[in-house]
Amino acid sequence: MERASARPLTRRPLVTLLTAAALAASGLTALTSAARAADADLARNGGFESALDGWTCTAGTTVTSPVHGGTAALKATPAGADNARCAQTVSVKPDSQYTLSGYVQGTYVYLGASGTGTTDVSTWAQSAPDWKQLTTTFRTGPSTTKVTIYTHGWYGTGAYHADDISLTGPGGETGQPPAVPGGLKTGSVTSSSVALSWSPVPGATGYAVYRDGTRVSTVTGTSTTVSGLTPSTAYSFQVTAVNDAGESARSATVTATTAQRPDDGGGSSGLPAHALVGYLHASFANGSGYTRMADVPDSWDVIDLAFGEPTSVTSGDIRFERCPVTECPNVEGDAEFKAAIKAKQAVGKKVLISIGGQNGQVQLTTAAARDTFVSSVSAIIDEYGLDGLDIDFEGHSLSLNADDTDFKNPKTPVVVNLISAVKTLKAKYGERFVLTMAPETFFVQLGHQYYGTGKWGGQDPRAGAYLPVIHALRDDLTLLHVQDYNSGPIMGLDNQYHSMGGADFHIAMTDMLLTGFPVAGDAGNVFPPLRPDQVAIGMPASTQAGNGHVSPAEVTKTLNCLTKKTDCGSYATHGTWPALRGLMTWSINWDRYANWEFQKNFDAYFG
């Protein structure tokens, strides 16, 4: 383990020049050509020509410039307590000599090997403005059969590049990949799932399942159910067998078409096929001014009252206070406000209480806080006759404990208690209860790269922390509208970073939700896709509303790409989703301030 305060030693190789005569005189025999031929480059995809295949990276992608050789190279960026390590495990022979080599660019770039069974080694470049070769050697221990090679940067020193990494020496006993599975067939098919089964393969330790060419899960048995599918949609499936030596070729393809949902066209929530969602500043005013409930145009199908906030961070006691007259001179009285809500509901609109927001930190750390949350939110819903709940937890409301690594089986109290509380509310109010969520990209799509504190610790424990909540409540969830604003760059399914400012960001972020994505880069641990009718795209209504505002033309490009597969630009989506539910915006007030530009564009697009 390197220390930030330690200065690595500079090692000079001992170079010995021996002539053939000297070798003969000393009784040593030169290496035979057969011995030299036994050495091979054992690093898989050392030139990163196949993206990150074979590598496990905490923060890395491939780029086409700069490169040392070929057409691609690794670019990895340390952040916070993450040094952007990329590693792979290689089969080696015991008691054998190996040379590890690679080319790097950047400041404080390391190349090393661990698990050697003797002395683990590393070498580094303090400063490499141009490509610099790093080389080190090691000998394996008497029982060592696997070694991990790696490269990483240093904390806070910026991105580094690596390319053409090789490990030269005798290959280990890798065996043979298993045979191709046979007998793949479909079983029961629902509107959102397809059951699959196949014949066992001798020597296989697991099986990888592919949907439409994308690996979606890894299982140990010979059957699985692929869930999270879209109703009335055709899918193709294949399966491969896996062992320590590798993965077999893919099986023959089987196809299945999911069933139609009985409530296609609106769902049990009663929403229209394409809906417009907006937040109404009901408890405060800002530069946009106060908008009365009765003055909200009928274009808005879901109106989120912003915000219900806790009496303290951990109390679970949520209160909704109307904006005071001193702050909102034109605020209506409670009776008029409630009457306006009923009038909206009478024409099919949904009015929800949104909990949290930027200032409303909610941490349900105990069962008592969970129960208080349920009772206090119920009191707000009942008093104002609301249709449901929007969860807008931001900041430090949700984070994951260090030992909480599986989004399908969470154990962090603030996560488990929130899931329990929402399920209790849904059970109380029934199928017509509208449940929406508005997480930031940091809590959802960032989980593609980082989940919680990470395998080696030190990552932000909030990374991906919404994923277990969304997954546990996906059958109860009406809408997920991630805030595609106030966001840093996020890696998409194309292993490229995408930034705010155009249609590309919204397309890439939404494609992840509708396709599903590996969590923390683990292809065997995939967050399943949501139905398109469960997804809306969150955008700022105007330039004043938040960072990441895009013009109506870019909004239209986004919708065209996702629903029609036109105007897609450089990002290739993994499907086409005409049933995408719609758009969410922060906020109705800011849209009014901007002469209803956002609403008018939505109305023009969906008619």
Side-chain angles (χ1 to χ4, degrees), residues 344-381:
K344 294 295 180 188
Q345 292 168 329
V347 293
K349 310 306 177 185
K350 306 298 178 183
V351 184
L352 316 181
I353 179 64
S354 180
I355 306 298
Q358 179 178 346
N359 298 324
Q361 304 294 297
V362 182
Q363 296 176 3
L364 304 182
T365 56
T366 65
R370 175 200 63 196
D371 295 342
T372 301
F373 181 88
V374 171
S375 60
S376 60
V377 171
S378 295
I380 297 169
I381 291 173

Side-chain angles (χ1 to χ4, degrees), residues 276-302:
L276 182 61
V277 182
Y279 286 80
L280 184 68
H281 308 175
S283 61
F284 61 93
N286 56 18
S288 65
Y290 183 82
T291 300
R292 290 174 170 238
M293 173 65 71
D295 294 333
V296 176
D298 284 343
S299 299
W300 301 90
D301 301 294
V302 180

Side-chain angles (χ1 to χ4, degrees), residues 464-484:
Y466 245 96
L467 294 179
V469 179
I470 299 168
H471 185 68
L473 297 170
R474 63 172 56 239
D475 291 338
D476 302 306
L477 182 64
T478 309
L479 276 178
L480 176 71
H481 32 65
V482 175
Q483 300 177 33
D484 284 1

